[in-house]
Amino acid sequence: MLEKITIQKSCTIEQHRIVVDDMLVWSSATDMPFSDFAKDAFHHLDIDYPKFYKMDALSKLAFLAAEYILRGEDKDELALVLANKSGSLDTDIKHQESIQDTENYYPRPATFVYTLANICAGEISIRHGLQTENAFFIAEEFPEETIFAYADYLLQSNKAKRVLCGWVEYFQEDYRALFYIF
Amino acid sequence: MTALKEELKRQIIEVLNLEDITPADIQDEEVLFGEGLGLDSIDALELIVLMDKTYGIKLSDPKKGRDIFQSVETMAAYISENRTK
Amino acid sequence: MTFDPIYIHGMNCVTPLGMDLLSNWTQLLMGNGGIIRHDVGRIKNSYVAKFISEEAAGLLTPVQDSTLLERMLFTAAKPIASKYVLTPRTALVLSTTKGNVSLLQDGRMADAQLNVLANKMAEALGFQTQPIVVSHACVSGLLALSVAKRLIQIGQYDDAVVLAGDVVSEFVVSGFQAFQAMSPFPCKPFDKDRAGVSLGEAAACVYVSKEKGEFKILGEAAINDANHISGPSRTGEGLVQSVLRAGREASIDIKDIDFISAHGTATLYNDEMEAVAFHRLGLQDVPIHSLKGYYGHTLGASGLLETVIALKAMQEEVLLPTLGFEELGVSQPVNIIREAGYRPLTRLLKTASGFGGSNAAMLVERCG
């Protein structure tokens, strides 16, 4: 049944390069930390969205990929299906550090809230008003068959008109986003 | 008191990641939540951590927090009366 | 396009109240809850539902040096995985929010990965397929069941074992404390004096397939609020939409149900949001319970654990009361179950909501 779905648009973010449908739309010097790259890429979008600065790295990556792929797109009944390998491990470690030292024990609510992988999907939903189907999977590598079959189900069951799906992985400066619209 | 308010503004900007805002942009009486700076419930919880970590003030009643966090002015007043560090 | 219906067959759970479904059910009938004061790591005196070490000794051990979570998951899944034939087209869908996150204390970053946990469980239980991991905050357990249903319906698998688990850890308790969301007494869902969650640990497991069975999944949906990453929507929009869409798939009037197993975490805002949503849906007269007063909030396990208990309640024809509830404390009237009731129960609505604005709803029918 998989042949029924066709990729309408794609966006990849890796090695400080943002590519939409094979077109390079933004790049930064590869020696800068991810946080600086993310800030530059965000400024390039020229949007007013101060919440971006409060996000953890995984959510920033997901936000940017969604922003670049969804520009000019119809978002009606657009479902969101994401996956990655490390979940929220990068932020988990930050929260763990904040509770490890009993002398300096100050868990931060703004860190803890990002210790759930699906928060980045929530950030995209909020930004684009997606009151739609949402799911987050964890896998060693992009579970293409599962994600595509799941997206296919959403379309065929009329639970969504279109599906934004993809891979969004961030762990200690290693990152990759690969988004598709079906 | 003025020094405390300046210090608070810097800390608020830092812990709440208020990019593109400088201490000079925050007025002493300005409403922090809702309209004003547009802070939300997670920011309020972060301010509770700030009060504990920097000034040794433990707030456990979120409703009380709402009064204290009205503005930099009200925060500074509460801190100067209740700080333990 | 319409799909073949999916049925829930075998089910099991492992909680501080009991090592299998039957022992859990006995405790629930006696009105016993598992939430007591515990020290969690270095955090003293938290009200949580947690295994004490003597109880935990009864758990099965899949491999040497298994974590508590691995032992709970294995104990819950073993009877199910042994009962059915696991073919190259049988999926394992694992639901967890934080898995073995406590391993970070010892710097074991790689071992804390959720897919490492999933692979361990798949191997120990004899699955031939790559496990699928759903990690979607507090709706994970219910969403994992939907995921299994959907992937079978689209033809990706023939059948699936859905397994869900999470444990009470210093990591999670400290975070909920930072959110000022931990109740200073065993949680009181929907009550006027409710003051937050009590966390709990549990594992639950079900087997689903196209084969006709006792419980038919009529419809389900999981719709985001698109409102706030931690606060539930004031209007309950995502939950309302989830229930409406589940009802649309089921082709039934959503009022035509016998009870609701709600999320009912006992935070001020969650329970209020649910009451608003159920009221908007016209479900204010339908009996509702939350099981959080017995088990605490078991995070990624909760949706599946509470489904398993609700299905058992349908078999036994018992409406379980909401432990901890005394006086209604939400703005919209809803029919919270106070005392056990005995009557035939044919249709269940199970709901869940969580961080990230997530919601999930499922309608299940008991087929004679």
Side-chain angles (χ1 to χ4, degrees):
Chain A
M1 292 206 207
L2 286 185
E3 64 273 20
K4 284 189 182 159
I5 53 175
T6 48
I7 295 171
Q8 298 172 1
K9 197 172 180 183
S10 70
C11 173
T12 57
I13 306 182
E14 53 191 338
Q15 294 171 332
H16 292 10
R17 290 161 57 88
I18 301 179
V19 175
V20 177
D21 280 347
D22 301 325
M23 289 258 297
L24 181 68
V25 294
W26 181 253
S27 66
S28 301
T30 49
D31 56 355
M32 62 167 63
F34 173 80
S35 56
D36 291 348
F37 159 71
K39 200 192 279 187
D40 283 358
F42 176 71
H43 283 151
H44 175 67
L45 286 163
D46 196 24
I47 50 174
D48 181 31
Y49 201 73
K51 269 191 246 172
F52 178 80
Y53 301 111
K54 296 173 186 265
M55 296 176 192
D56 75 343
L58 178 65
S59 283
K60 280 182 177 149
L61 178 62
F63 179 93
L64 287 171
E67 208 63 31
Y68 277 94
I69 199 172
L70 287 176
R71 269 203 285 195
E73 293 297 319
D74 180 8
K75 299 167 198 168
D76 182 41
E77 290 291 313
L78 177 74
L80 192 51
V81 183
L82 299 178
N84 78 3
K85 179 187 174 191
S86 301
S88 57
L89 192 61
D90 189 75
T91 299
D92 293 355
I93 290 169
K94 293 192 171 78
H95 178 67
Q96 182 62 40
E97 283 166 357
S98 76
I99 61 169
Q100 194 90 354
D101 175 5
T102 33
E103 296 296 300
N104 199 22
Y105 173 93
Y106 292 104
R108 297 271 304 266
T111 306
F112 182 67
V113 71
Y114 288 101
T115 63
L116 291 163
N118 65 299
I119 296 297
C120 69
E123 293 283 17
I124 295 172
S125 297
I126 294 167
R127 163 69 182 156
H128 298 281
L130 304 180
Q131 285 182 341
T132 53
E133 284 284 340
N134 246 218
F136 203 101
F137 296 93
I138 307 280
E140 177 77 32
E141 288 171 4
F142 184 46
E144 198 174 279
E145 284 187 12
T146 301
I147 297 283
F148 287 10
Y150 193 78
D152 194 17
Y153 170 84
L154 291 175
L155 295 171
Q156 291 200 37
S157 61
N158 291 320
K159 287 184 175 174
K161 281 188 189 157
R162 296 207 294 166
V163 183
L164 174 59
C165 71
W167 180 255
V168 55
E169 163 72 6
Y170 182 94
F171 184 63
Q172 297 184 338
E173 294 289 325
D174 264 344
Y175 73 92
R176 182 167 185 243
L178 175 56
F179 277 27
Y180 302 105
I181 297 176
F182 289 131
Chain B
M1 198 68 165
T2 315
L4 175 60
K5 282 187 247 180
E6 284 309 302
E7 180 182 293
L8 262 178
K9 289 177 189 174
R10 274 201 312 277
Q11 286 162 341
I12 290 172
I13 289 168
E14 193 198 326
V15 300
L16 304 184
N17 292 310
L18 303 179
E19 194 87 11
D20 306 332
I21 288 180
T22 66
D25 296 332
I26 306 176
Q27 307 305 313
D28 292 356
E29 313 273 349
E30 188 177 350
V31 178
L32 295 175
F33 288 83
E35 290 290 291
L37 279 181
L39 305 186
D40 72 357
S41 54
I42 299 176
D43 296 318
L45 294 165
E46 279 292 321
L47 292 183
I48 290 174
V49 176
L50 170 74
M51 297 287 271
D52 184 8
K53 189 173 178 175
T54 315
Y55 303 105
I57 298 172
K58 290 199 188 297
L59 297 171
S60 51
D61 182 0
K63 286 188 189 109
K64 205 172 168 193
R66 212 169 296 163
D67 298 334
I68 297 164
F69 300 145
Q70 235 167 25
S71 66
V72 169
E73 185 79 42
T74 55
M75 275 182 82
Y78 190 84
I79 290 168
S80 52
E81 265 183 43
N82 297 282
R83 66 190 301 171
T84 61
K85 62 180 177 189
Chain C
M1 149 165 202
T2 50
F3 298 95
D4 293 335
I6 301 299
Y7 297 86
I8 302 170
H9 301 267
M11 53 193 190
N12 194 25
C13 64
V14 170
T15 79
L17 286 184
M19 292 295 179
D20 59 15
L21 179 53
L22 195 60
S23 53
N24 271 275
W25 181 250
T26 309
Q27 294 293 324
L28 293 173
L29 278 186
M30 293 192 290
N32 292 338
I35 302 171
I36 51 170
R37 235 162 44 174
H38 277 279
D39 293 343
V40 181
R42 291 157 298 178
I43 302 170
K44 303 293 172 207
N45 296 325
S46 280
Y47 277 100
V48 293
K50 195 169 170 31
F51 279 98
I52 52 173
S53 41
E54 298 91 84
E55 288 168 356
L59 293 167
L60 304 176
T61 304
V63 289
Q64 235 187 346
D65 296 326
S66 294
T67 62
L68 173 65
L69 176 62
E70 287 160 4
R71 297 176 63 206
M72 285 161 52
L73 288 169
F74 188 72
T75 308
K78 188 67 187 157
I80 306 286
S82 309
K83 188 172 170 189
Y84 302 95
V85 181
L86 310 178
T87 76
R89 287 184 50 79
T90 304
L92 170 63
V93 182
L94 177 71
S95 154
T96 183
T97 62
K98 294 318 306 164
N100 283 322
V101 77
S102 294
L103 296 176
L104 291 181
Q105 276 171 17
D106 311 319
R108 292 170 63 187
M109 291 189 292
D111 292 335
Q113 301 258 22
L114 301 185
N115 64 310
V116 172
L117 169 68
N119 286 337
K120 236 186 215 180
M121 298 321 300
E123 194 180 326
L125 292 163
F127 282 87
Q128 300 178 48
T129 49
Q130 278 284 318
I132 294 163
V133 182
V134 176
S135 191
H136 207 95
C138 304
V139 309
S140 302
L142 192 55
L143 183 60
L145 185 50
S146 283
V147 165
K149 164 191 170 281
R150 292 170 174 192
L151 291 175
I152 296 169
Q153 286 183 319
I154 200 72
Q156 193 75 358
Y157 296 96
D158 291 338
D159 53 355
V161 171
V162 186
L163 178 59
D166 263 311
V167 290
V168 173
S169 62
E170 196 174 310
F171 185 100
V172 174
V173 174
S174 63
F176 274 82
Q177 277 184 342
F179 258 86
Q180 307 219 330
M182 290 289 284
S183 176
F185 40 77
C187 70
K188 297 172 74 65
F190 297 103
D191 191 88
K192 71 171 179 33
D193 294 328
R194 70 186 183 278
V197 301
S198 302
L199 291 169
E201 59 195 14
C205 186
V206 300
Y207 173 77
V208 292
S209 78
K210 284 184 189 171
E211 292 294 316
K212 204 164 184 314
E214 188 177 2
F215 297 106
K216 181 179 175 182
I217 301 176
L218 297 176
E220 40 72 31
I223 302 296
N224 198 283
D225 284 331
N227 176 63
H228 192 267
I229 51 170
S230 63
S233 152
R234 296 286 166 109
T235 61
E237 185 62 21
L239 182 55
V240 167
Q241 286 302 327
S242 299
V243 174
L244 286 176
R245 288 166 194 229
R248 205 180 304 156
E249 181 187 355
S251 296
I252 63 161
D253 179 349
I254 50 162
K255 292 188 196 70
D256 195 9
I257 53 176
D258 296 296
F259 71 115
I260 301 171
S261 173
H263 192 49
T265 59
T267 66
L268 280 181
Y269 293 116
N270 174 79
D271 293 8
E272 172 64 18
M273 179 281 286
E274 285 187 86
V276 168
F278 292 138
H279 205 264
R280 281 181 60 192
L281 289 160
L283 299 175
Q284 62 274 10
D285 298 324
V286 178
I288 296 175
H289 69 211
S290 156
L291 298 176
K292 299 292 192 291
Y294 302 92
Y295 292 116
H297 190 350
T298 58
L299 306 176
S302 63
L304 195 65
L305 170 67
E306 290 156 12
T307 301
V308 165
I309 299 300
L311 299 184
K312 181 71 179 162
M314 290 164 89
Q315 281 179 334
E316 304 292 334
E317 306 188 335
V318 178
L319 278 174
L320 289 170
T322 300
L323 188 62
F325 173 77
E326 287 167 277
E327 196 179 323
L328 193 66
V330 287
S331 69
Q332 306 296 316
V334 278
N335 180 12
I336 307 297
I337 307 167
R338 288 164 193 272
E339 283 169 16
Y342 305 89
R343 70 175 87 149
L345 302 168
T346 309
R347 279 185 189 156
L348 155 75
L349 169 63
K350 173 72 197 125
T351 66
S353 300
F355 274 7
S358 45
N359 300 277
M362 183 176 282
L363 288 157
V364 184
E365 181 171 86
R366 181 165 180 241
C367 324

